[in-house]
Amino acid sequence: MSFPEWAEAIVAGVRRYLPDARAVRKGARTVVIRHGELEARLVDDGGAFCISFHVGDGAKTMSGLVDRDRRDAHTTS
């Protein structure tokens, strides 16, 4: 799956739960999803496709969903 296909699938899933969420492409390797004051970034970092967002107090969480080095899909938290 390519990054654009992956990002479209994630955005579609988010919009099922949050229909007014907005998604904006920032170059070839980043998509930003916004809902109210919240923001999540979908990023192709070259080795994996990742989702990151701030969870409060400056903390940031990230999850890698596709690892090209392992050539499989997995989830980490």
Side-chain angles (χ1 to χ4, degrees), residues 3-62:
F3 177 72
E5 292 170 323
W6 177 80
E8 286 178 26
I10 297 294
V11 169
V14 168
R15 285 187 175 147
R16 275 193 292 261
Y17 293 98
L18 304 168
D20 57 339
R22 299 178 325 269
V24 187
R25 182 174 280 282
K26 300 284 186 176
R29 302 178 113 187
T30 304
V31 173
V32 179
I33 302 172
R34 291 187 179 103
H35 181 260
E37 297 295 317
L38 303 175
E39 179 179 288
R41 292 186 174 264
L42 312 180
V43 178
D44 175 357
D45 76 358
F49 301 161
C50 302
I51 300 172
S52 64
F53 54 92
H54 292 279
V55 293
D57 295 333
K60 184 176 183 179
T61 187
M62 181 181 287

